[in-house]
C-alpha cells in the first residue's frame, strides 16, 4: 500500500472523528481564497472591454475628437486629453468644415458639446452640467438612454437626467429657467448616462444652450478605421482623437509618444504582493489549527514511525 493511500485513509478517519476541527481548518483555508476570488471577479466585472468603452465614449461613431490646441500635441491612445508640444495655444476658430478637411475623404461628424449653465434650482440658483447632442443620430446611439418622454425637437426643449430633475425640482412637462431669466426651456423627457448614472445633466439640441465651455467635440464616422498613425497625424494640427479601432488595437510602447508611455493594468509586483498576502493569511489562520491537530496526534504519529514509517510518511499524515 502506497504512503499516500495510507495518509489519505488516516486523514479521512481523523476528519470524521473530529468534524468540528476539520470544518474549521477547511473554513480557514477557504475564506482568504474565496475573498480574493470575489475581489478579482468584482474588479473584472466593472472593467469595460474596449468595445464597451468605445460605445460609452462615442456611441456608434468611429472616433470622438476635440481640437483644443493650434499646434502639435501628444496624447495617450485611450484618453481624450493632450499635452501641447512647446508653446502651443488654442486653435483659430475650430470648425466642423476645417476638421473634415483633416479627416479621410467621406468622413462625417456631429457636434457633442459639454459645458455648464447657471440655472434656477429648487433651492435657489446654481451651476449644473449641460450638454448639446442630437442623441437620436446613429452616431450617438447608446451614449444616452431614454427613460421617459422623447428627445428634444426644438431649441427651447431639453431633457434631464434623474439627478438634474431632482435638483431643479422639475419633471417631464415642466419648465426650467436660466438664473438671469433670459431663457426658459420645456422639459420633454428624462434620460440617463450609462457611463455615469448619478450625473446631473441638462441635454439640449446642438447649438440650443448657451454653454459655458472650453470648446466643442465631435463624434466622427470615417469610411474605414481611424488608425493610430492617422491619430498621430491629426495630433500635428492640435487635434485629439480617441478611436474605436485604436481602443481595440492599442499601439505598442515603440509606437507611442516616448514621453507619454504608460503601463496599462496592475504592475506584476502588485499581483505578487496580493497573492503573497493571501498565502500568508492562510498560513496564519490555518497553521495554528494544523499545529494543534498534530500535537494531539503525537501518539499516532509515533506509532507510525515505530512501525517503520519514514519522515515523509509522517509529513503526509500531518
Amino acid at each position: 500500500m502506497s504512503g499516500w493511500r495510507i495518509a489519505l485513509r488516516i486523514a479521512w478517519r481523523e476528519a470524521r472523528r473530529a468534524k468540528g476541527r476539520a470544518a474549521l481548518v477547511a473554513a480557514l483555508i477557504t475564506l482568504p481564497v474565496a475573498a480574493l476570488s470575489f475581489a478579482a471577479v468584482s474588479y473584472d466585472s466593472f472593467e469595460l472591454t474596449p468595445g464597451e468603452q468605445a460605445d460609452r465614449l462615442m456611441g456608434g461613431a468611429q472616433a470622438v475628437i476635440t481640437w483644443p490646441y493650434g499646434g502639435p500635441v501628444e496624447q495617450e491612445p485611450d484618453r481624450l486629453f493632450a499635452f501641447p508640444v512647446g508653446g502651443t495655444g488654442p486653435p483659430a476658430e475650430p470648425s466642423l468644415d476645417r476638421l473634415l478637411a483633416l479627416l479621410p475623404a467621406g468622413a462625417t461628424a456631429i457636434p457633442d458639446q459639454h459645458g455648464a449653465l447657471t440655472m434656477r434650482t429648487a433651492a435657489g440658483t446654481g451651476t449644473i452640467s449641460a450638454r448639446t447632442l442630437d442623441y437620436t443620430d446613429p452616431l450617438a446611439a447608446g451614449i444616452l438612454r431614454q427613460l421617459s418622454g422623447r428627445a428634444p425637437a426644438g431649441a427651447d426643449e431639453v431633457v434631464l437626467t434623474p439627478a438634474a430633475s431632482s435638483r431643479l425640482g422639475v419633471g417631464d412637462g415642466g419648465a426650467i429657467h436660466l438664473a438671469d431669466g433670459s431663457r426658459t426651456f420645456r422639459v420633454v423627457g428624462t434620460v440617463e448616462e450609462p457611463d455615469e448614472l448619478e450625473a446631473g445633466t441638462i441635454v439640449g439640441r446642438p447649438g440650443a444652450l448657451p454653454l459655458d465651455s472650453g470648446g466643442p467635440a465631435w463624434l466622427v464616422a470615417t469610411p474605414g478605421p481611424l488608425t493610430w498613425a492617422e491619430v498621430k497625424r491629426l495630433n500635428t494640427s492640435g487635434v485629439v482623437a480617441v478611436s474605436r479601432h485604436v481602443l481595440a488595437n492599442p499601439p505598442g510602447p515603440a509606437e507611442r509618444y516616448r514621453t507619454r508611455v504608460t503601463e496599462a493594468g496592475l504592475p506584476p509586483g502588485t499581483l505578487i504582493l496580493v497573492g503573497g498576502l493571501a498565502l500568508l493569511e492562510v498560513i496564519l489562520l490555518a497553521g495554528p489549527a494544523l499545529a494543534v491537530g498534530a500535537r494531539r496526534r503525537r501518539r499516532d504519529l509515533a506509532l507510525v514511525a515505530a512501525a517503520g514509517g519514514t519522515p515523509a510518511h509522517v509529513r503526509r499524515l500531518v
Side-chain angles (χ1 to χ4, degrees):
M1 186 178 289
S2 68
W4 276 111
R5 186 175 179 184
I6 295 173
L8 291 173
R9 289 185 63 180
I10 295 176
W12 176 247
R13 184 188 66 185
E14 288 297 321
R16 294 179 62 185
R17 181 182 299 172
K19 294 184 177 63
R21 186 181 66 205
L24 177 62
V25 171
L28 292 177
I29 293 175
T30 303
L31 182 61
V33 176
L36 188 61
S37 300
F38 176 79
V41 171
S42 298
Y43 175 81
D44 190 62
S45 299
F46 284 95
E47 190 74 8
L48 297 177
T49 65
E52 292 170 337
Q53 185 179 357
D55 291 342
R56 298 282 181 90
L57 185 63
M58 63 193 72
Q62 285 292 333
V64 57
I65 289 178
T66 63
W67 199 342
Y69 297 102
V73 297
E74 295 180 355
Q75 70 165 97
E76 290 293 334
D78 58 347
R79 299 179 187 175
L80 203 63
F81 178 78
F83 302 88
V85 178
T88 300
E93 298 182 5
S95 65
L96 178 58
D97 291 338
R98 292 185 61 206
L99 176 66
L100 292 177
L102 298 175
L103 294 171
T108 59
I110 62 171
D112 179 15
Q113 189 168 6
H114 295 257
L117 293 172
T118 303
M119 306 293 298
R120 296 178 185 174
T121 68
T125 61
T127 301
I128 188 168
S129 297
R131 184 177 195 173
T132 56
L133 171 67
D134 180 11
Y135 62 89
T136 62
D137 191 289
L139 290 183
I143 292 180
L144 297 173
R145 183 181 298 125
Q146 194 81 42
L147 298 180
S148 65
R150 59 175 176 81
D156 61 342
E157 295 180 342
V158 297
V159 293
L160 306 176
T161 62
S165 179
S166 175
R167 184 178 178 191
L168 295 170
V170 177
D172 291 7
I176 59 175
H177 313 274
L178 293 179
D180 60 7
S182 59
R183 291 190 63 183
T184 298
F185 304 94
R186 187 163 65 90
V187 179
V188 296
T190 304
V191 297
E192 69 176 5
E193 299 183 28
D195 195 39
E196 190 177 356
L197 297 180
E198 300 300 322
T201 309
I202 303 171
V203 183
R205 290 190 59 79
L209 305 179
L211 298 182
D212 177 15
S213 66
W218 293 272
L219 303 178
V220 176
T222 54
L226 194 69
T227 64
W228 177 239
E230 292 171 323
V231 170
K232 294 180 75 173
R233 180 181 60 80
L234 292 173
N235 290 162
T236 62
S237 299
V239 176
V240 184
V242 175
S243 163
R244 182 181 297 274
H245 175 78
V246 173
L247 289 176
N249 304 275
E255 300 175 274
R256 303 187 185 192
Y257 294 104
R258 291 182 179 273
T259 57
R260 307 299 174 193
V261 174
T262 58
E263 294 293 334
L266 295 174
T270 302
L271 300 178
I272 295 174
L273 177 62
V274 172
L277 290 175
L279 180 61
L280 177 62
E281 188 74 9
V282 170
I283 294 172
L284 293 177
L285 291 176
L290 293 173
V292 170
R295 187 176 182 83
R296 289 180 176 178
R297 296 171 58 197
R298 283 185 302 178
R299 181 177 179 278
D300 294 340
L301 298 176
L303 289 174
V304 171
T310 65
H313 290 148
V314 174
R315 286 194 297 271
R316 290 173 188 171
L317 294 177
V318 173

